[in-house]
Amino acid sequence: MSSSTDPDHFFQTNHSIAETERKSSKSKNQNGKPVRLPSKILAAIADPQCPQQAVYVAESAGNCLITLRLKNAEVIVSGAADASIIVWNVQTAERLHVLKGHARGILDLAVDPSTYDHDNIPADGIQEAVVFSAGSDREIRRWRISLEKAEQVDPESPLLFHETSVYALRFDDDGDLWTASADGTAKCLSRFQNFQPDTTIQHNDYVRAVAVEEVGGYVITAGRSEDVKVWDRGSGELIKTFDGHYEEISGLVMLQQRCVSVGIDGTVRLWDLLPETLGNAREQSKRRSERLETRDEVSSVRQEDECEHVGLTEEEERELDELMHEDN
């Protein structure tokens, strides 16, 4: 019996056909100077040796990983779909610790920069580090890890600020934690408020990735909507939307004032966040907000004016005035 993978040999809905045609048409665009790879790209990280110039990408399914240097040993911390976190000794391939706490799969890991500064690691490493984990159970948990032991920090009080899966964790230069979630939001959890949320950005579709551009003060989000959105960190205003991917975006990496996006469309794209690129967009966003505020104020005045006159016609007002003067 012969078999086929040709979609033309199978029943397809009108929506399915239209979506295929849309993606085919959009795939030809050159926005973001795409580098095309043969398979889906699920994640990206900056090259540890050249963090401002290059990125590594993951083209196949796997665990989320981070690396640490504890004492004199290189360590990998991995999170898996079975909700486990495993700490490995790279040199010996020994499994040092298995951590349990999440109810569902681990989606991302991030090391707390207050306990582990990647730019200032002594030759003999550090004693211990705190790692944050995010899962499809919407929880964010913390773990204190050393070569000798690993334990959860405050296991009875995970950080619960999203309605569903938390896809990404990113620390900014202030040590605040940015999160991206399938509930359509990205949030900033303030270190000085014990990781309570002080900023919420409404991306309005699954947010798979978040990044922070420190020089210009921008937050970048991306996900199922296929576009890269740039927000003013202070005001939360949308500054610019970059369009180019034609499938879900799975990762963002900052290279100085440029943002690299990767997606399951198999492309790597580069977006310029320099002032000359975003300066006009920021000014336009400011003017748009001012116009909206003015329009709302005018609308409010009109409504108040209408309320003062509602209910009585001119003749009714005259009759009321006559009645009020009859007793005089």
Side-chain angles (χ1 to χ4, degrees), residues 216-256:
Y218 302 117
V219 177
I220 303 93
T221 60
R224 192 171 65 176
S225 63
E226 302 178 2
D227 50 26
V228 175
K229 294 183 178 180
V230 183
W231 309 80
D232 183 281
R233 180 175 176 176
S235 67
E237 291 287 336
L238 178 63
I239 300 299
K240 191 173 182 62
T241 299
F242 291 110
D243 181 58
H245 287 278
Y246 53 95
E247 292 275 10
E248 184 173 313
I249 298 171
S250 53
L252 297 171
V253 177
M254 291 305 306
L255 299 181
Q256 296 180 329

Side-chain angles (χ1 to χ4, degrees), residues 78-137:
S78 67
D82 66 357
S84 67
I85 299 172
I86 302 178
V87 183
W88 307 83
N89 185 308
V90 174
Q91 286 89 347
T92 66
E94 177 187 3
R95 187 167 61 179
L96 301 176
H97 313 294
V98 179
L99 303 172
K100 291 284 190 178
H102 284 276
R104 301 174 64 183
I106 311 299
L107 298 177
D108 202 14
L109 300 167
V111 61
D112 186 342
S114 71
T115 66
Y116 191 92
D117 184 352
H118 286 278
D119 297 325
N120 296 288
I121 302 298
D124 58 351
I126 63 170
Q127 294 296 315
E128 65 177 26
V130 172
V131 171
F132 284 59
S133 60
S136 53
D137 56 2

Side-chain angles (χ1 to χ4, degrees), residues 44-106:
I45 61 169
D47 181 349
Q49 303 302 318
C50 306
Q52 303 301 328
Q53 301 179 23
V55 298
Y56 284 110
V57 298
E59 289 188 73
S60 59
N63 301 340
C64 49
L65 303 171
I66 59 172
T67 60
L68 302 171
R69 184 170 181 80
L70 300 177
K71 294 185 177 177
N72 60 350
E74 297 291 340
V75 168
I76 288 177
V77 183
S78 67
D82 66 357
S84 67
I85 299 172
I86 302 178
V87 183
W88 307 83
N89 185 308
V90 174
Q91 286 89 347
T92 66
E94 177 187 3
R95 187 167 61 179
L96 301 176
H97 313 294
V98 179
L99 303 172
K100 291 284 190 178
H102 284 276
R104 301 174 64 183
I106 311 299

Side-chain angles (χ1 to χ4, degrees), residues 102-236:
H102 284 276
R104 301 174 64 183
I106 311 299
L107 298 177
D108 202 14
L109 300 167
V111 61
D112 186 342
S114 71
T115 66
Y116 191 92
D117 184 352
H118 286 278
D119 297 325
N120 296 288
I121 302 298
D124 58 351
I126 63 170
Q127 294 296 315
E128 65 177 26
V130 172
V131 171
F132 284 59
S133 60
S136 53
D137 56 2
R138 79 186 184 94
E139 296 179 345
I140 300 172
R141 293 183 176 270
R142 292 166 282 183
W143 314 85
R144 184 173 289 107
I145 299 173
S146 67
L147 289 180
E148 293 77 21
K149 66 177 182 178
E151 60 184 2
Q152 188 172 176
V153 178
D154 202 2
E156 299 303 319
S157 301
L159 304 178
L160 284 168
F161 302 116
H162 285 286
E163 297 176 6
T164 184
S165 303
V166 181
Y167 283 122
L169 302 173
R170 292 292 180 272
F171 281 98
D172 63 21
D173 286 356
D174 294 329
D176 295 332
L177 180 63
W178 287 85
T179 64
S181 172
D183 65 9
T185 68
K187 294 178 183 285
C188 177
L189 309 186
S190 171
R191 178 180 297 275
F192 296 106
Q193 299 179 35
N194 196 26
F195 293 107
Q196 296 294 307
D198 70 356
T199 301
T200 298
I201 291 176
Q202 297 285 347
H203 187 95
N204 295 327
D205 205 340
Y206 284 16
V207 188
R208 288 291 304 273
V210 61
V212 180
E213 196 285 297
E214 303 283 355
V215 177
Y218 302 117
V219 177
I220 303 93
T221 60
R224 192 171 65 176
S225 63
E226 302 178 2
D227 50 26
V228 175
K229 294 183 178 180
V230 183
W231 309 80
D232 183 281
R233 180 175 176 176
S235 67

Side-chain angles (χ1 to χ4, degrees), residues 14 41 44 101 109 123 188 190 199 217 257 299 304 312:
N14 290 338
I41 305 173
L109 300 167
C188 177
S190 171
T199 301
Q257 289 181 275
S299 175
E304 291 176 1
L312 293 177

